Amino acid sequence: QVQLVESGGGLVQAGGSLRLSCAASGSTFSRYAMGWFRQAPGKEREFVAAIRRSSGITYYANSVKGRFTISRDNAKNTVYLQMNNLKPEDTAVYSCAAGEVAGDPSSFRSWGQGTQVTVSS
């Protein structure tokens, strides 16, 4: 079982940037597709981005495409989410997840505790 710990959330003004990190332990990191999801108050959790195990192929929700970039460093057991040009509607708790298939959000089964991102207008 993989354990995931996110960091890097905070308060930022609209148009600003943040970089989230997710450190993995307890299992072989490179075995997993990795993803980021978010949940805003009163809303369902939604897929944000995912990256394959080793090829670097990435997937994005339409709402973040062109603004967010997911990357991973298998040597450091870490996945990142660079968020640029943030908007108030990006405000949510962001969680990283480990899964089987990067292109299938339903395959993500291991979750971190989440980190709050708040974007002020």
Side-chain angles (χ1 to χ4, degrees):
Q1 184 79 1
V2 62
Q3 288 81 48
L4 304 170
V5 179
E6 302 94 336
S7 60
L11 173 64
V12 64
Q13 288 188 331
S17 299
L18 282 174
R19 188 174 86 149
L20 306 183
S21 299
C22 173
S25 62
S27 187
T28 304
F29 179 71
S30 59
R31 290 179 49 198
Y32 297 96
M34 296 300 297
W36 288 95
F37 295 72
R38 68 186 182 187
Q39 187 168 19
K43 294 189 176 182
E44 297 287 323
R45 183 167 59 197
E46 64 174 357
F47 167 79
V48 175
I51 187 167
R52 289 192 182 181
R53 292 174 178 81
S54 59
S55 68
I57 292 174
T58 55
Y59 303 81
Y60 296 96
N62 287 335
S63 58
V64 306
K65 203 171 292 184
R67 300 188 297 123
F68 290 11
T69 302
I70 187 171
S71 61
R72 66 189 294 164
D73 186 337
N74 287 346
K76 295 183 178 180
N77 292 351
T78 302
V79 62
Y80 304 97
L81 185 68
Q82 177 67 44
M83 305 185 294
N84 297 329
N85 189 22
L86 282 159
K87 303 176 181 181
E89 52 264 41
D90 294 319
T91 295
V93 174
Y94 284 71
S95 298
C96 72
E100 298 298 320
V101 181
D104 178 8
S106 69
S107 76
F108 287 83
R109 304 294 174 85
S110 298
W111 299 87
Q113 83 288 352
T115 186
Q116 176 70 46
V117 171
T118 303
V119 184
S120 63
S121 57

